[in-house]
Amino acid sequence: MPSPFPGMDPWLEASAVWPDFHDALAGEIRATLNCILPEPYYAQLGAREELGIVGHAAGGRIIPDVTVNTSAKMPRQTTPSTTGGTAVLDSPRSEVTESLQWDFANELQSVSFIEIRDARSGHDVVTVIEILSPSNKSSGPDHDSYLRKRTQVLASTTSLIEIDLLRAGRRDFFGAEVHQRMYEFDPQSDYIVFVQRAWQRSGRLLYQLFPICLIDTLPVIAVPLRQADAEATLDLQYAFQQTYERGPYRRGAVNYDQPPQPPLSDTLAVWAQQQLDVWRQAN
């Protein structure tokens, strides 16, 4: 069963759904690329660890998949003063004060990205494809870590593709000039894809931008390889469609009876409800 929407599904941006969708889409892009890349290029998944904490944002606090268990609660006892007032100590105490013991199963999330490698030259990474996560777009350690990795890629001979399918969060790390240009789009884009080719970095970065509105299908993009080689074409809508149809989203993982998070504008909310009504009638 296809998605209710012609392009991105805004319900998939919810914090409970996004991690599964993010990694499933990365896997689908990998599979698609390995069907179309010319030899000796191939695509594989990479992974990095993220805390996944983005603070308070639209739709609530997004936290990593971390459990916090009370393994032992020791009673907190107090010894009332018999004399009143502030206790005066004649010597340092040697007995450890009783406390509460908590067991934090603090496991980092593993976030997938795609690498295109060249088998003929030591398996060099020629292109990195990133699907941005909420914590990449919000202030915090994951944002800082992503910026460091991004800076390293842009200083290398590796091309970079960034796929932003999240309406919430910052886009200013693309640079002030690019950030300003995005506000000139008419209509304003809900999502965006950036392609930056490694050989287009002579003093300035030349970006190829694909602005995407919610009502649009996702674009077909050109995936850079080596400069001398023809670029591969990646249909993001096809990859999305395969991800959706094979995933849990229409099987109850997504509650389409509740508004998406972050919420839509009034105009888009009416449009989205119309799409859902047609989808439900057809299925």
Side-chain angles (χ1 to χ4, degrees):
M1 184 189 302
S3 163
F5 302 99
M8 177 58 184
D9 181 337
W11 271 260
L12 301 180
E13 298 175 60
S15 58
V17 180
W18 178 259
D20 177 85
F21 171 72
H22 176 284
D23 285 355
L25 180 60
E28 198 62 51
I29 290 174
R30 166 190 170 275
T32 300
L33 287 171
N34 281 323
C35 291
I36 64 174
L37 285 173
E39 294 183 1
Y41 295 104
Y42 63 91
Q44 67 179 29
L45 292 180
R48 65 172 178 275
E49 293 182 334
E50 291 186 353
L51 293 171
I53 300 175
V54 302
H56 294 279
R61 182 177 176 81
I62 301 174
I63 61 174
D65 186 15
V66 174
T67 56
V68 180
N69 299 317
T70 308
S71 61
K73 276 192 176 181
M74 295 185 289
R76 183 174 179 269
Q77 300 176 350
T78 59
T79 303
S81 171
T82 57
T83 59
T86 304
V88 178
L89 302 177
D90 295 326
S91 59
R93 296 172 293 172
S94 60
E95 186 176 346
V96 176
T97 302
E98 292 176 340
S99 62
L100 296 177
Q101 180 174 314
W102 294 83
D103 176 21
F104 290 87
N106 190 11
E107 299 176 1
L108 296 174
Q109 295 184 111
S110 180
V111 179
S112 298
F113 56 90
I114 305 104
E115 296 176 334
I116 297 176
R117 292 178 177 266
D118 184 352
R120 68 191 164 191
S121 60
H123 302 276
D124 290 341
V125 179
V126 297
T127 303
V128 170
I129 303 176
E130 289 277 1
I131 304 169
L132 299 185
S133 63
S135 59
N136 296 153
K137 298 180 64 181
S138 299
S139 299
D142 292 340
H143 173 78
D144 297 341
S145 175
Y146 180 73
L147 278 185
R148 286 192 295 271
K149 177 187 176 182
R150 187 175 184 275
T151 299
Q152 291 173 352
V153 172
L154 293 177
S156 72
T157 57
T158 299
S159 296
L160 176 63
I161 297 175
E162 293 168 297
I163 301 171
D164 184 0
L165 298 179
L166 295 165
R167 288 168 293 131
R170 301 163 51 180
R171 286 177 176 162
D172 55 349
F173 57 77
F174 293 114
E177 200 172 349
V178 175
H179 187 57
Q180 179 60 38
R181 184 66 58 85
M182 287 190 290
Y183 284 102
E184 298 174 3
F185 296 149
D186 185 19
Q188 287 288 302
S189 63
D190 297 297
Y191 312 108
I192 197 160
V193 176
F194 290 84
V195 179
Q196 208 293 309
R197 293 165 174 83
W199 54 90
Q200 295 177 335
R201 295 173 186 162
S202 55
R204 293 171 60 85
L205 298 176
L206 179 60
Y207 281 98
Q208 185 179 19
L209 278 64
F210 296 85
I212 308 162
C213 294
L214 178 60
I215 63 174
D216 298 333
T217 57
L218 298 179
V220 177
I221 66 172
V223 178
L225 304 172
R226 300 286 190 191
Q227 185 176 3
D229 293 334
E231 298 183 340
T233 53
L234 173 62
D235 186 342
L236 291 177
Q237 186 60 47
Y238 177 80
F240 172 89
Q241 174 185 310
Q242 296 296 103
T243 302
Y244 188 91
E245 292 185 357
R246 300 179 188 185
Y249 318 112
R250 62 183 174 85
R251 295 175 171 83
V254 174
N255 183 0
Y256 288 109
D257 293 326
Q258 297 295 323
Q261 295 297 332
L264 299 170
S265 67
D266 292 343
T267 301
L268 283 178
V270 171
W271 173 84
Q273 188 58 55
Q274 293 171 344
Q275 299 297 307
L276 287 171
D277 291 343
V278 171
W279 181 72
R280 285 169 172 146
Q281 291 171 7
N283 298 288

